Amino acid sequence: MSLTTDLPHSKGQAAGGAVKSHGPGTETPAPRRRTRQRRERIFQWLFLVPAVVYMTLFFGYPVVKNVVMSFQEYTTSTFFTGEAPWVGFTNYVTVLSSSLFSTSLLNTVLFTMGSIVGQFVIGLALAIFFQRKFPLNGILRSLLLLPWLLPLIVSSAVWRWILDKDSGALNRFLGDLGIIDTGIPWLTSTSLALIAVVGVNIWIGIPFNLTILYGGLQEIPDELYEAGSLDGATGWKAFRHITWPMLRPVVSVVLVLGVVYTLKVLDIILGLTNGGPANSTQTIATQSYNLSFHEFKFGEGAALGNVLVIISLVFAVLYLRASRRAVDE
Amino acid sequence: MKSAQRTSRPLALAVAALVGLPLAISGCGSSTAASPSEAVTELSVMDYYNNEPDKSFIGDALTKCGTQLGVTVKRETVPGKSLISKVLQQSSSKTLPDVLMLDNPDLQQIAATGALAPLADFKVSTENFAEGVLSAGTYKDKVYGLAPTVNTIALFYNKDILAKAGVTPPTTWEELKAASAKLTAGDQYGLAFNANPTYEGTWQFLPVMWSNGGDEKKIDTKETEQALQLWTDLVKSGSVSSSALNWTQADVKDQFLTGKAAMMVNGPWQIPALDKQPTLQYGVVKIPVREAGQTSVAPLGGEVWTVPQTGNKARQAKAAEMVACLNSDENQLAMATARNTIPSKTTLSDKFASDNPKLATFTELIKTARARTGQLGEEWPAQATKIYTAIQTSLTGNASPADALKQAQGQ
């Protein structure tokens, strides 16, 4: 009983401050009550502490450090001497004015859009397909999760072998079918490499899209389809007027998360082409990695990394708004 | 109140333990920084030989030297790719090992940070070492690291395939192009090399660039352009698969091993794998030069051993003795023989070459081999990036060799 009377009170205090909640008519609360309130406050904070500590340590510190680093001349010597001269926006100017930046940015956009469209369309088609009841449905669906379970380094090594020009499995297959005479240089042609890399990334991303969208489809009540079919909405019409509107919140979550995951993809590209040939698969992520860990220009690498963070942040905000709307609905 | 008191006791204990823990750790740390007079009984060592059989070969040499010096060796091996990040971490937390191995092109980068001690401080002899080896271990006129054994790259050829086609191993670029074209048929390419967008692609290009007088400081020159034209011609004509743009040196070895390439550019560390296939008869010659009379200049590979600045002079002195021991004539020969590498002292070359005829060409090349960081020092990574970018731009046909080099140099 005391708990229920207490709670709204403390809530009011938190929101409006002590003066407002203690109107002129109310008596000053007994000291016992005040200590209890204070203790409750402390406990509320205590529950927050682990999360706050965790966030500061593992999210706050690296982000702040990365931002600071991008304004410094941070080199290998910095690690030993601790000296990192402040250089203002020099790193940003160097990175953004480099001739490689526009290439990387364009590749990042193409890679992300291509991957997302491919993953989503195939993932959705498969999700709808698995809605039907047929034998081996469960087994097939779990087999489709395999790409998700493999370490990315393994996937990229295997795909690198499959896509090899001379002895790759894909070219052998196409050759045996008589479709091609000479091997297609999937990974070594400047016009094909990005397409090949996007293809591999689609293969990796399908399970994620399939799983989430399948879950979303399961949530749609059967009655809607029954009612719809009475009104003549079947097949495409049912999809257009029932499935799609009901699935919309899930779709926006899948897309936005997909974009954020895809923007930062690094290992697949490094494993398949290392950004080549002639930078045709170089993205902002791979370029930032190269700057920091191969050329030891940690400041410039951090600056480019921050550019990527800002792009991701835009989509993260979109995600938050989308998910808030989903909750409101 | 009572209950609060009761619970606070374990709490106090926990707090005491937490406060005590760092003290205990730093206590351990301070013992390593003991006074110089105290005898050193242990040395920590870090290297990247984490695969067999090299892991054991190096481990044995370290243990042997440890016994000679009266210390036990505490060795840590890390994967090659993570060595530098590990070293950087350790240098910021002041926990560098007593003896540190580095890949030679990284030495100047690390020496520039001030994390390494000059070997002259401990009177380590640098006599008889090949010039390139010393230049790889030198930063601003001081020697910081010595490599017991080194390696380089040369041209491997498949004796059977060449004999069948009536081709002799090429010595000039013209001969190389003609031979590669003649050896290309069906599934088989004349030559395999690696032109991937990493430092490895640069490394494989250096012999033709350097032999022709190319300069890594300024790559948009006639000499380097001619070298890049050769690489481009070989790929354009189909004598080298365009997959070279994505191959590693291990892939190149596989092409050669399976007979899909009649010749390859590679190093002596591939010999054990090649010898596993007894049907494969191969020979090794120097990488061809543009015109007869030019010297084939090879890039120097291999790992140097260094003494980090740990702040404990006694341990550092002992560590320097360890580096000296690893570089003794006897140990150089033993390690070189076991690992298919070349002893770095030129005084040992003749004996080594006659004992190991398979490595004779490599031994010859080491005498004049050049260190990648010899001229550029810590600027090497940036310039090496430009070189592989130019190679890729030209080999994909995005620009002519001259334009590719000009673009890359200007970047």
Side-chain angles (χ1 to χ4, degrees):
Chain A
M1 198 47 209
S2 72
L3 196 74
T4 43
T5 51
D6 243 26
L7 262 178
H9 212 93
S10 64
K11 243 188 192 167
Q13 233 174 11
V19 186
K20 251 188 195 168
S21 63
H22 302 151
T26 46
E27 273 178 284
T28 43
R32 205 163 54 92
R33 201 164 167 199
R34 203 188 285 160
T35 48
R36 196 197 286 163
Q37 271 173 11
R38 196 178 299 152
R39 249 172 65 192
E40 206 166 281
R41 203 27 116 46
I42 291 170
F43 274 112
Q44 284 170 353
W45 276 106
L46 277 179
F47 275 111
L48 273 180
V49 164
V52 169
V53 168
Y54 178 79
M55 294 286 284
T56 344
L57 222 62
F58 292 102
F59 290 92
Y61 176 74
V63 168
V64 171
K65 179 84 185 166
N66 205 47
V67 170
V68 172
M69 204 188 248
S70 67
F71 291 107
Q72 289 173 321
E73 193 189 324
Y74 206 102
T75 61
T76 38
S77 347
T78 309
F79 288 90
F80 191 72
T81 58
E83 286 164 22
W86 194 261
V87 292
F89 282 94
T90 314
N91 288 331
Y92 285 93
V93 172
T94 315
V95 163
L96 297 179
S97 64
S98 130
S99 58
L100 201 52
F101 179 72
S102 52
T103 316
S104 314
L105 185 65
L106 180 66
N107 286 342
T108 307
V109 171
L110 291 176
F111 177 77
T112 308
M113 287 200 345
S115 299
I116 292 298
V117 170
Q119 288 170 3
F120 181 77
V121 171
I122 301 177
L124 182 62
L126 284 170
I128 292 170
F129 175 67
F130 281 111
Q131 277 286 89
R132 298 158 183 236
K133 290 186 177 53
F134 57 88
L136 297 182
N137 179 316
I139 293 172
L140 280 175
R141 201 153 37 85
S142 40
L143 278 179
L144 271 169
L145 293 182
L146 270 179
W148 211 2
L149 305 178
L150 285 176
L152 288 178
I153 289 296
V154 176
S155 312
S156 57
V158 172
W159 275 103
R160 197 167 163 271
W161 171 75
I162 293 175
L163 296 172
D164 184 78
K165 185 188 126 197
D166 303 306
S167 41
L170 181 60
N171 280 345
R172 279 286 160 90
F173 178 69
L174 294 175
D176 287 347
L177 287 181
I179 298 174
I180 53 168
D181 296 329
T182 51
I184 299 175
W186 294 109
L187 295 175
T188 51
S189 141
T190 42
S191 48
L192 285 175
L194 190 62
I195 297 173
V197 172
V198 166
V200 173
N201 195 45
I202 288 177
W203 175 80
I204 288 168
I206 287 173
F208 171 75
N209 284 263
L210 167 63
T211 312
I212 309 278
L213 292 172
Y214 181 79
L217 287 176
Q218 297 290 85
E219 292 287 299
I220 303 175
D222 281 342
E223 297 88 70
L224 288 179
Y225 291 104
E226 283 167 20
S229 68
L230 288 178
D231 294 333
T234 49
W236 170 248
K237 265 191 179 160
F239 176 81
R240 171 76 187 74
H241 296 286
I242 303 173
T243 314
W244 187 250
M246 292 300 286
L247 204 58
R248 266 252 300 278
V250 180
V251 167
S252 59
V253 169
V254 166
L255 287 182
V256 175
L257 283 183
V259 168
V260 173
Y261 287 153
T262 312
L263 278 174
K264 67 177 176 63
V265 163
L266 184 72
D267 10 25
I268 300 164
I269 298 179
L270 289 185
L272 283 172
T273 62
N274 236 311
N279 290 321
S280 58
T281 55
Q282 194 80 260
T283 63
I284 295 184
T286 57
Q287 203 200 338
S288 158
Y289 175 83
N290 266 334
L291 280 173
S292 290
F293 298 107
H294 285 287
E295 294 188 45
F296 306 120
K297 294 173 179 166
F298 295 95
E300 290 179 19
L304 199 56
N306 285 334
V307 172
L308 195 62
V309 168
I310 290 169
I311 300 176
S312 296
L313 215 57
V314 172
F315 285 96
V317 169
L318 284 178
Y319 165 68
L320 286 178
R321 291 188 58 177
S323 60
R324 192 183 303 148
R325 206 180 308 140
V327 169
D328 290 348
E329 276 167 12
Chain B
M1 277 312 269
K2 230 179 184 178
S3 69
Q5 241 176 7
R6 209 178 292 151
T7 52
S8 73
R9 204 169 295 153
L11 191 77
L13 265 173
V15 168
L18 276 175
V19 172
L21 192 64
L23 284 177
I25 290 168
S26 64
C28 288
S30 66
S31 74
T32 58
S35 64
S37 57
E38 214 170 281
V40 179
T41 56
E42 189 191 76
L43 283 179
S44 55
V45 177
M46 186 163 79
D47 61 67
Y48 69 33
Y49 301 104
N50 63 332
N51 285 321
E52 293 297 352
D54 277 351
K55 189 178 177 183
S56 302
F57 290 145
I58 299 293
D60 292 347
L62 285 167
T63 319
K64 208 177 108 199
C65 282
T67 319
Q68 264 178 40
L69 302 173
V71 293
T72 49
V73 173
K74 222 177 77 196
R75 181 187 181 203
E76 185 186 1
T77 57
V78 299
K81 275 187 180 166
S82 53
L83 180 72
I84 289 299
S85 51
K86 183 100 182 171
V87 168
L88 293 178
Q89 267 170 31
Q90 289 179 336
S91 60
S92 67
S93 60
K94 311 284 176 226
T95 51
L96 283 163
D98 297 310
V99 180
L100 171 68
M101 182 228 80
L102 289 171
D103 193 13
N104 80 76
D106 293 329
L107 177 120
Q108 301 217 11
Q109 198 77 36
I110 302 301
T113 71
L116 303 177
L119 293 177
D121 290 6
F122 307 100
K123 312 264 181 304
V124 177
S125 163
T126 54
E127 260 173 46
N128 300 330
F129 281 89
E131 210 186 302
V133 177
L134 280 185
S135 117
T138 304
Y139 174 69
K140 292 201 172 153
D141 300 328
K142 283 185 180 158
V143 178
Y144 286 86
L146 286 176
T149 69
V150 287
N151 61 55
T152 184
I153 43 178
L155 187 73
F156 286 73
Y157 63 94
N158 187 317
K159 283 184 177 170
D160 294 337
I161 298 179
L162 263 73
K164 215 177 279 171
V167 172
T168 49
T171 56
T172 63
W173 289 1
E174 281 312 314
E175 286 174 25
L176 178 67
K177 278 199 256 186
S180 304
K182 204 169 173 192
L183 293 166
T184 303
D187 253 7
Q188 175 191 306
Y189 288 95
L191 175 68
F193 57 67
N194 142 14
N196 71 20
T198 71
Y199 298 149
E200 228 178 64
T202 307
W203 151 263
Q204 288 234 329
F205 177 67
L206 288 175
V208 281
M209 173 176 142
W210 276 344
S211 302
N212 196 39
D215 182 358
E216 64 267 33
K217 280 188 290 192
K218 190 174 182 303
I219 56 172
D220 50 345
T221 59
K222 185 85 197 146
E223 290 80 14
T224 308
E225 185 200 321
Q226 286 172 333
L228 187 52
Q229 187 71 55
L230 170 72
W231 246 219
T232 311
D233 288 347
L234 285 166
V235 173
K236 282 257 170 71
S237 66
S239 302
V240 173
S241 170
S242 68
S243 296
L245 285 160
N246 205 22
W247 274 340
T248 63
Q249 293 189 118
D251 295 326
V252 169
K253 179 256 300 171
D254 289 340
Q255 297 295 317
F256 184 73
L257 201 57
T258 51
K260 281 186 180 159
M263 301 184 284
M264 70 163 175
V265 177
N266 229 322
W269 59 89
Q270 306 290 13
I271 288 178
L274 300 180
D275 286 346
K276 265 190 203 150
Q277 195 165 306
T279 50
L280 177 72
Q281 294 294 316
Y282 63 90
V284 182
V285 291
K286 292 179 186 178
I287 289 170
V289 291
R290 187 170 59 85
E291 291 173 330
Q294 284 180 317
T295 327
S296 185
V297 183
L300 184 87
E303 294 80 21
V304 292
W305 294 84
T306 66
V307 178
Q309 295 280 19
T310 50
N312 182 328
K313 285 286 163 213
R315 284 179 82 104
Q316 279 186 295
K318 212 47 158 182
E321 284 179 48
M322 172 66 87
V323 173
C325 174
L326 289 171
N327 280 288
S328 73
D329 291 5
E330 186 199 347
N331 281 332
Q332 284 208 353
L333 284 172
M335 272 195 262
T337 313
R339 299 184 51 226
N340 281 298
T341 48
I342 315 301
S344 57
K345 288 182 187 169
T346 46
T347 40
L348 303 174
S349 311
D350 292 340
K351 180 181 160 27
F352 184 75
S354 66
D355 288 352
N356 303 275
K358 253 180 202 161
L359 296 168
T361 305
F362 292 105
T363 314
E364 185 64 26
L365 283 167
I366 289 300
K367 289 182 190 165
T368 54
R370 251 165 83 176
R372 281 160 278 176
T373 48
Q375 283 199 58
L376 286 166
E378 53 204 297
E379 298 298 318
W380 168 251
Q383 201 63 15
T385 305
K386 289 178 184 177
I387 295 177
Y388 74 64
T389 308
I391 298 174
Q392 290 247 316
T393 311
S394 176
L395 259 53
T396 50
N398 276 9
S400 70
D403 289 341
L405 288 165
K406 212 172 285 165
Q407 275 172 29
Q409 179 64 51
Q411 242 170 30

